[in-house]
Amino acid sequence: MNDSIEEPPAPAPGSARPGGRTARTRAAVRDAVLTGLTEHGYPALTVEYVAEHSGVHKTTLYRRWGSVEGLLADALDLANEDAWTPPDTGSLSGDLHALAHEVVDAFGDPAGGAAPTAFIGAAFQSPRAAEALHAFYAERFRRCEVVVTRAVTRGQAPRGTDPGAVVRAVSAPLFMRLFITREPIDSALADQAARAVLAGVEAGAYAPA
């Protein structure tokens, strides 16, 4: 592009959440990273590609993000700055089903799931991307834990139930099929996963013996 964006130095990724032009630049760069990952995969993603497709001069990209790995890490960090909250259906059963269906909605459609799948693939090739992916999902699961703590308060789960273990168990069989056995996932599988975890919770499988 001829009219590339040049910016003064900005805070390191994850250290601030600026608005205005800086926020627009980060969003444009993230979109370019996602497009490049989806269309070409991590090995073919370059700073030059991101510069061309974001309109941000490559000098700015190198100065601010340092490398492709830095661009990947910040793209995930930016994704983690959203206002997403877990469902609150009024029951643990409803919440677990809703969480499982969110995984199907995010990854079940090949077009919609292409970008997050590409990020996960990049994590197997880039240590920096792996760290960023770990941080992203750690935060997502942390937000989900309230689903279980509410259930304990309502008397729908035994005291001492491990919130982190429960919310991870809901998505585990879905991710197993998506990224290990490469099988399709659907609503029926989401319901099965939620029912299995709910039965385990009620039986005390996620609470201390």
Side-chain angles (χ1 to χ4, degrees):
M1 294 186 178
N2 294 327
D3 299 324
S4 296
I5 301 171
E6 264 288 5
E7 284 201 341
S15 62
R17 297 181 180 181
R21 185 180 181 188
T22 299
R24 291 193 298 272
T25 298
R26 284 187 76 196
V29 169
R30 176 180 180 268
D31 289 344
V33 170
L34 289 174
T35 300
L37 274 180
T38 302
E39 294 182 352
H40 306 292
Y42 172 73
L45 184 65
T46 65
V47 172
E48 288 72 19
Y49 175 95
V50 176
E52 179 182 353
H53 288 78
S54 67
V56 180
H57 197 281
K58 69 177 182 180
T59 302
T60 300
L61 297 178
Y62 278 115
R63 182 177 66 241
R64 183 171 175 185
W65 285 277
S67 66
V68 168
E69 289 197 332
L71 290 165
L72 282 171
D74 191 49
L76 267 177
D77 186 65
L78 184 60
N80 219 15
E81 293 176 7
D82 63 17
W84 181 88
T85 56
D88 186 2
T89 65
S91 72
L92 179 60
S93 175
D95 291 347
L96 294 178
H97 277 79
L99 286 174
H101 279 270
E102 285 198 20
V103 175
V104 173
D105 291 342
F107 291 94
D109 174 61
T117 298
F119 254 122
I120 291 172
F124 284 91
Q125 304 170 73
S126 161
R128 184 86 179 274
E131 292 174 5
L133 187 70
H134 171 80
F136 175 84
Y137 275 106
E139 171 61 17
R140 272 294 192 267
F141 286 132
R142 185 197 64 76
R143 295 186 199 181
C144 289
E145 289 181 5
V146 68
V147 164
V148 181
T149 57
R150 285 194 306 243
V152 172
T153 302
R154 294 169 180 152
Q156 298 170 345
R159 292 194 178 278
T161 297
D162 184 340
V166 171
V167 296
R168 284 168 171 78
V170 174
S171 57
L174 303 173
F175 285 140
M176 174 73 178
R177 290 200 178 208
L178 281 167
F179 302 113
I180 305 301
T181 62
R182 305 297 294 171
E183 298 174 85
I185 59 173
D186 55 24
S187 295
L189 186 63
D191 290 335
Q192 182 187 73
R195 289 195 305 269
V197 173
L198 181 64
V201 170
E202 293 173 343
Y206 297 97

